[in-house]
Amino acid sequence: MFYRSGIKMTDSEKQILNKNIIKDLIGDDAELIRKFEIEFLQQAKESIGKIVAMFNQNDFAAIKEEAHYIKTSAKAIGAEQTADLLQTLEDNALNNDKATCKQQIILINQSLKLVYGAIMNE
């Protein structure tokens, strides 16, 4: 669960890209925000590729670590839905649940495409 201003957010309140989060972290510098968003997209593309390769090797410990790594960046730029999906992937990887991990990877990939669209259509 995400918390904002002490209020627990429900899944339906989580946004594809919540600009207020990154603004709270670094200020209202549009150029710097854009730089961090682009870096996140590049990092996420690389990470999802690694996660797929780890999945194919049944390396659940590595999946958990990579999901945690990219989740931190997702939270920082305000990709709330993606961060939540990455947390679920972390949890499923801890349980070596291959079927559920596969489904989460698919959902994360779809979510990242939405984040990409939100960033590119600003």
Side-chain angles (χ1 to χ4, degrees):
M1 275 293 157
F2 289 95
Y3 294 86
R4 188 177 311 129
S5 304
I7 301 170
K8 188 190 260 189
M9 294 176 63
T10 63
D11 287 342
S12 63
E13 292 174 319
K14 292 177 189 157
Q15 296 180 31
I16 293 168
L17 187 62
N18 182 345
K19 292 289 214 168
N20 293 325
I21 292 175
I22 196 165
K23 286 178 183 177
D24 288 347
L25 288 173
I26 65 170
D28 198 9
D29 181 338
E31 203 172 298
L32 189 57
I33 289 171
R34 182 76 170 175
K35 177 182 180 281
F36 282 123
E37 289 173 342
I38 298 299
E39 286 176 3
F40 169 75
L41 291 173
Q42 292 166 341
Q43 182 184 48
K45 182 179 179 182
E46 184 178 316
S47 284
I48 201 74
K50 288 179 182 178
I51 287 170
V52 168
M54 295 166 189
F55 174 82
N56 290 333
Q57 297 169 358
N58 295 314
D59 191 347
F60 295 102
I63 291 171
K64 183 209 166 291
E65 293 304 315
E66 192 65 28
H68 181 77
Y69 169 74
I70 195 65
K71 177 187 74 180
T72 303
S73 297
K75 283 184 176 184
I77 68 148
E80 296 172 326
Q81 292 175 6
T82 302
D84 192 50
L85 292 167
L86 286 159
Q87 179 62 59
T88 303
L89 178 60
E90 272 189 78
D91 297 341
N92 293 329
L94 274 174
N95 297 324
N96 295 339
D97 185 344
K98 188 162 183 154
T100 308
C101 283
K102 180 179 181 178
Q103 186 59 37
Q104 282 305 118
I105 293 167
I106 292 166
L107 291 173
I108 291 164
N109 198 39
Q110 291 170 347
S111 180
L112 287 170
K113 288 177 183 175
L114 293 174
V115 172
Y116 176 86
I119 291 171
M120 291 300 141
N121 293 318
E122 295 177 335

